[in-house]
Amino acid sequence: MSAASQLNSDRSPPGCLDSLLSVRNVRKYFPIREGALQRIVGHVRAVDGVSFDIRRGETVGLVGESGCGKTTLARCVSGLTDITGGGIYFDLPHKQAILLGQLSSPNAEGGPLPGHKQELERIDTAHRIDRLEGEAGRRFRRNCQMVFQDSFASLNPRHLVFDLVSRPLRVYREATGSELTERVVELLEQVGLGRQHLYRYPHQFSGGQRQRISIARALALNPEIIVLDEPTSALDVSVQAQILNLLNELQSQRNLAFLFVTHDLSVIHHMADRVVVMYLGKVSETGDTGELFKAPHHPYTRALMEAKPDLEDESSKYEFKGLEGTVPDPARPPRGCRFHTRCEFATESCGWEIDDIVRCLEYDPAAFETLSGVERRSDFDAVLTFDDAKSANRLAEMLRSGAVPKALQDSLSKLELRDRHVSVAFEEVDEVPLTSRGPGRAAACVLDPSVIASGRNG
Amino acid sequence: MQPVDQEKAVQARPRPASVASVRNLRVYFQSKRGMVHAVDGVSFDIYDGETLGLVGETGCGKSVTGRSFLKLLPVPPGKIASGSIQFKPHATCRNCDGNGCPSCEGTGRQSAANSRGRSNEKGIRDSVDAEIVELLEIGREEMRRIRGDRIAMIFQDPGKALNPTLPISEQLSEVFLLHRTSELLEAAGLPASTGGALRRFASQEQRFGDSLLMALPPNRAFRNRLVGALNKMVIEALGDTQVPNPAKLMARYPHELSGGMKQRVMIAQALACNPDILIADEPTTALDVTVEARILELIKELQKKRRTSVLYISHDLSLVRRICDRVAVMYAGKVVEIGSTDAIFRDPRHPYTRGLISAVPSAGARRGELAAIRGTVPELVDPAPTCRFAGRCPFEADSCRRFEPELKPVSNGHAVACFIDSAAPSGRQPTFQSAAV
């Protein structure tokens, strides 16, 4: 332990430019298979182009609803899941990170130049976690540990605590015999357990204690980063407070970096230095915790804050309310801004498309039943066919009147009614990119932050 | 049915009319190591039309309390050792005969306290002639009549509470078939005196051969009318929970729906018969925060419209603060503090309540300095008569380890079970200043 703490003091202080883990445009698609031959008919885009950095000794919070891809991303980062595209780089020096950014940005020819290709290859084999081999691979794996949400499922019920916590030490041949036992006791004491717990099974512990065992196991190899996937979601508030205090204490002792995945904003606010807000596989906003909570730049962040107001803050500027609708299908994510289907601030340039009309129809059962076909020319241009002219007329009326969101109406570029057919077209909109909003701050929204802060759509 | 001590009943009733009063409820569970006192002397009232929050950590007995209202506890190993739960159902409004009028705000019902002259052989009258049902003593058949009709429950995990083998329509129509037979017959245009197979069909008590009878004319036509009326009732109930396209939803199975949608179906099921009390056992724990807020808004809205009282069981303090009128804090099988939400959160008097509130991470708390409560929840196997929080309490004094504090009022409607605000029988008294670190 003393040797380890010496090592820690040598580590660079937080705030330096070198990042411990660089996530670059990571994509993870899960195939959808159908039929007897299990042909791939589509992909669920669980993570769709996410980039961020984790520096030494800092906590990055990852928030979002269930199904937004945050757990998948956490598993990708810790190397448990292969990624479809992009790259995750471990211990990438700042210079090479800049180089990587230049090299992988698309140039005129569409691909990297031959010289660049070699350079990229060199960075990849040295730092990309799925390309690391031999000693470098072992170094990454022992420095990146994970704590899972469900401590029931992540601790083998047939192993003793001693077996569970000593496993990493034995795998890396760190210690044997009585030294091993002493190391395990030391780890258990660090997380608030003791020698008396060595020879017990996981089921003999409470939820909070089991989570402590998971943390002890993650600490065993003295890692530099721990990925925490909802470590306190299953716990009571008083136990949650104990675990959060423990994590903070360990972080300051060992200069650990955390990737803290959770859906609980109050926990993120308390724990994280920087926050990444995800929605449907994409980052919708990222920034310093304090600034992000002070003034959200994305309507989704605001909606999350409204859904879970702070307990202490009575004069909260947000009223308690939820979000309309459900998360859209990640196999067919909405065009433009992915949040526009549920956004109360949506404007005509947020990417309205044919699917939105179909969604509106679902709220009108009579009309939806009579819809017999949708002939698409693109996501923005289609002809909707109904069983009778009356229903077609009704849809046209709906689109002209206030029955649909105003922004949808404004973005309609064509609306023609011919007998049973309604042909509609929207202005084509590209995906809303993540734009920089000052140092370390970025948001993917077309609106001005002041509009979101005021809570009204101009 | 045993006669209830009338004097006690009158005494127990506070100013606002209560729909249910729990008195000294004790629920024990037999285990290998001895009797687990899961609920140990819990008393509280649920007032008419209010939301009472029941908060506490895992294993403090809050769900057991909620389930004992409806006889949903596993007996054995569970055992209701003592206590009473008196339920005062709303009476049909005298002015409109249940059709809805201004005096009952369109609900067709009046709270027990201001209804008069209605009783039957099942109930007993208290001083204001309201009928009282002793929930712990009635038989299975009577409980079946109350369960889902007068008292309904929403469970924590909608995925487990709905039957995976039945479509939504069947799960919902069950409620109407069981509790609304006469309304159903009326809606189908059949006389109330209808008997035989048709009535059995409308009350879900089919016998052998009934399906054959029902398939023959003219019963077949009547049956179709009944099914039509039933579907209409189901669609209406689903529509109340703001489900898009309820008619289409009816044919679906639970696994086809999202968590929020399943919870809506369960709410529709629970509120279908316009219950007097809704017991919500952590209804949003399994849901996302954004969906959670929508569901709570919905419960609140429906509650207002129907004047239902809600017993909201939760461990989430920030939620309870937003939606409840009063809060009861439970710890280790006992209510340690009860009062209006405002009083509890503004001026918590019990050290445990204070601990719980400060354990929630908030903007003000410094990193790594969350006020965690030390220690763990004690085992409830044959507990000693001391303060249950002793050992974890930062303010404890020697009297806490020798005597058991009782729930004593500190101000109007706010009661605390701690020696901090009431004199200890003997020994040194704890104060908020004497924090032993």
Side-chain angles (χ1 to χ4, degrees), chain B residues 6 28 54 63 92 165 209 425:
Chain B
Q6 289 219 348
Y28 298 163
L54 201 55
S63 287
T92 312
T165 64

mmCIF file with all atom_site columns, all heavy atoms in Angstrom, chain B residues 6 28 54 63 92 165 209 425:
data_model
loop_
_atom_site.group_PDB
_atom_site.id
_atom_site.type_symbol
_atom_site.label_atom_id
_atom_site.label_alt_id
_atom_site.label_comp_id
_atom_site.label_asym_id
_atom_site.label_entity_id
_atom_site.label_seq_id
_atom_site.pdbx_PDB_ins_code
_atom_site.Cartn_x
_atom_site.Cartn_y
_atom_site.Cartn_z
_atom_site.occupancy
_atom_site.B_iso_or_equiv
_atom_site.pdbx_formal_charge
_atom_site.auth_seq_id
_atom_site.auth_comp_id
_atom_site.auth_asym_id
_atom_site.auth_atom_id
_atom_site.pdbx_PDB_model_num
ATOM 1  N N   . GLN B 1 6   ? -66.720 1.848   20.968  1.00 0.00 ? 6   GLN B N   1
ATOM 2  C CA  . GLN B 1 6   ? -67.201 3.086   20.331  1.00 0.00 ? 6   GLN B CA  1
ATOM 3  C C   . GLN B 1 6   ? -66.465 4.314   20.843  1.00 0.00 ? 6   GLN B C   1
ATOM 4  O O   . GLN B 1 6   ? -66.103 5.199   20.081  1.00 0.00 ? 6   GLN B O   1
ATOM 5  C CB  . GLN B 1 6   ? -68.688 3.242   20.605  1.00 0.00 ? 6   GLN B CB  1
ATOM 6  C CG  . GLN B 1 6   ? -69.526 2.236   19.856  1.00 0.00 ? 6   GLN B CG  1
ATOM 7  C CD  . GLN B 1 6   ? -70.793 2.847   19.342  1.00 0.00 ? 6   GLN B CD  1
ATOM 8  O OE1 . GLN B 1 6   ? -71.148 3.948   19.724  1.00 0.00 ? 6   GLN B OE1 1
ATOM 9  N NE2 . GLN B 1 6   ? -71.468 2.154   18.471  1.00 0.00 ? 6   GLN B NE2 1
ATOM 10 N N   . TYR B 1 28  ? -46.021 -9.685  12.722  1.00 0.00 ? 28  TYR B N   1
ATOM 11 C CA  . TYR B 1 28  ? -44.792 -10.427 13.003  1.00 0.00 ? 28  TYR B CA  1
ATOM 12 C C   . TYR B 1 28  ? -44.584 -11.482 11.934  1.00 0.00 ? 28  TYR B C   1
ATOM 13 O O   . TYR B 1 28  ? -45.533 -11.961 11.325  1.00 0.00 ? 28  TYR B O   1
ATOM 14 C CB  . TYR B 1 28  ? -44.870 -11.124 14.373  1.00 0.00 ? 28  TYR B CB  1
ATOM 15 C CG  . TYR B 1 28  ? -45.016 -10.193 15.543  1.00 0.00 ? 28  TYR B CG  1
ATOM 16 C CD1 . TYR B 1 28  ? -45.437 -10.670 16.776  1.00 0.00 ? 28  TYR B CD1 1
ATOM 17 C CD2 . TYR B 1 28  ? -44.724 -8.836  15.433  1.00 0.00 ? 28  TYR B CD2 1
ATOM 18 C CE1 . TYR B 1 28  ? -45.577 -9.827  17.864  1.00 0.00 ? 28  TYR B CE1 1
ATOM 19 C CE2 . TYR B 1 28  ? -44.861 -7.992  16.509  1.00 0.00 ? 28  TYR B CE2 1
ATOM 20 C CZ  . TYR B 1 28  ? -45.297 -8.482  17.726  1.00 0.00 ? 28  TYR B CZ  1
ATOM 21 O OH  . TYR B 1 28  ? -45.433 -7.651  18.786  1.00 0.00 ? 28  TYR B OH  1
ATOM 22 N N   . LEU B 1 54  ? -45.676 7.505   3.280   1.00 0.00 ? 54  LEU B N   1
ATOM 23 C CA  . LEU B 1 54  ? -45.082 6.609   4.270   1.00 0.00 ? 54  LEU B CA  1
ATOM 24 C C   . LEU B 1 54  ? -43.652 6.376   3.811   1.00 0.00 ? 54  LEU B C   1
ATOM 25 O O   . LEU B 1 54  ? -43.418 5.697   2.816   1.00 0.00 ? 54  LEU B O   1
ATOM 26 C CB  . LEU B 1 54  ? -45.890 5.308   4.297   1.00 0.00 ? 54  LEU B CB  1
ATOM 27 C CG  . LEU B 1 54  ? -45.820 4.421   5.530   1.00 0.00 ? 54  LEU B CG  1
ATOM 28 C CD1 . LEU B 1 54  ? -46.182 5.180   6.776   1.00 0.00 ? 54  LEU B CD1 1
ATOM 29 C CD2 . LEU B 1 54  ? -46.749 3.238   5.365   1.00 0.00 ? 54  LEU B CD2 1
ATOM 30 N N   . SER B 1 63  ? -44.048 -1.410  3.444   1.00 0.00 ? 63  SER B N   1
ATOM 31 C CA  . SER B 1 63  ? -44.856 -2.195  2.505   1.00 0.00 ? 63  SER B CA  1
ATOM 32 C C   . SER B 1 63  ? -45.766 -3.157  3.247   1.00 0.00 ? 63  SER B C   1
ATOM 33 O O   . SER B 1 63  ? -46.905 -3.379  2.843   1.00 0.00 ? 63  SER B O   1
ATOM 34 C CB  . SER B 1 63  ? -43.957 -2.988  1.558   1.00 0.00 ? 63  SER B CB  1
ATOM 35 O OG  . SER B 1 63  ? -43.363 -2.128  0.638   1.00 0.00 ? 63  SER B OG  1
ATOM 36 N N   . THR B 1 92  ? -72.822 6.525   -0.436  1.00 0.00 ? 92  THR B N   1
ATOM 37 C CA  . THR B 1 92  ? -73.387 7.123   -1.649  1.00 0.00 ? 92  THR B CA  1
ATOM 38 C C   . THR B 1 92  ? -74.004 8.468   -1.282  1.00 0.00 ? 92  THR B C   1
ATOM 39 O O   . THR B 1 92  ? -74.646 8.613   -0.245  1.00 0.00 ? 92  THR B O   1
ATOM 40 C CB  . THR B 1 92  ? -74.475 6.204   -2.220  1.00 0.00 ? 92  THR B CB  1
ATOM 41 O OG1 . THR B 1 92  ? -73.965 4.891   -2.264  1.00 0.00 ? 92  THR B OG1 1
ATOM 42 C CG2 . THR B 1 92  ? -74.886 6.649   -3.604  1.00 0.00 ? 92  THR B CG2 1
ATOM 43 N N   . THR B 1 165 ? -50.100 -13.513 -19.234 1.00 0.00 ? 165 THR B N   1
ATOM 44 C CA  . THR B 1 165 ? -50.800 -14.379 -20.182 1.00 0.00 ? 165 THR B CA  1
ATOM 45 C C   . THR B 1 165 ? -52.143 -13.814 -20.632 1.00 0.00 ? 165 THR B C   1
ATOM 46 O O   . THR B 1 165 ? -52.818 -14.419 -21.450 1.00 0.00 ? 165 THR B O   1
ATOM 47 C CB  . THR B 1 165 ? -51.051 -15.762 -19.573 1.00 0.00 ? 165 THR B CB  1
ATOM 48 O OG1 . THR B 1 165 ? -51.931 -15.600 -18.450 1.00 0.00 ? 165 THR B OG1 1
ATOM 49 C CG2 . THR B 1 165 ? -49.775 -16.408 -19.104 1.00 0.00 ? 165 THR B CG2 1
ATOM 50 N N   . GLY B 1 209 ? -70.744 -25.520 -18.297 1.00 0.00 ? 209 GLY B N   1
ATOM 51 C CA  . GLY B 1 209 ? -71.853 -25.492 -19.242 1.00 0.00 ? 209 GLY B CA  1
ATOM 52 C C   . GLY B 1 209 ? -72.362 -24.113 -19.561 1.00 0.00 ? 209 GLY B C   1
ATOM 53 O O   . GLY B 1 209 ? -73.151 -23.941 -20.494 1.00 0.00 ? 209 GLY B O   1
ATOM 54 N N   . PRO B 1 425 ? -38.472 9.158   30.934  1.00 0.00 ? 425 PRO B N   1
ATOM 55 C CA  . PRO B 1 425 ? -38.918 8.673   32.240  1.00 0.00 ? 425 PRO B CA  1
ATOM 56 C C   . PRO B 1 425 ? -37.881 8.917   33.328  1.00 0.00 ? 425 PRO B C   1
ATOM 57 O O   . PRO B 1 425 ? -38.219 9.285   34.441  1.00 0.00 ? 425 PRO B O   1
ATOM 58 C CB  . PRO B 1 425 ? -39.132 7.179   31.997  1.00 0.00 ? 425 PRO B CB  1
ATOM 59 C CG  . PRO B 1 425 ? -39.331 7.043   30.541  1.00 0.00 ? 425 PRO B CG  1
ATOM 60 C CD  . PRO B 1 425 ? -38.548 8.115   29.896  1.00 0.00 ? 425 PRO B CD  1
#
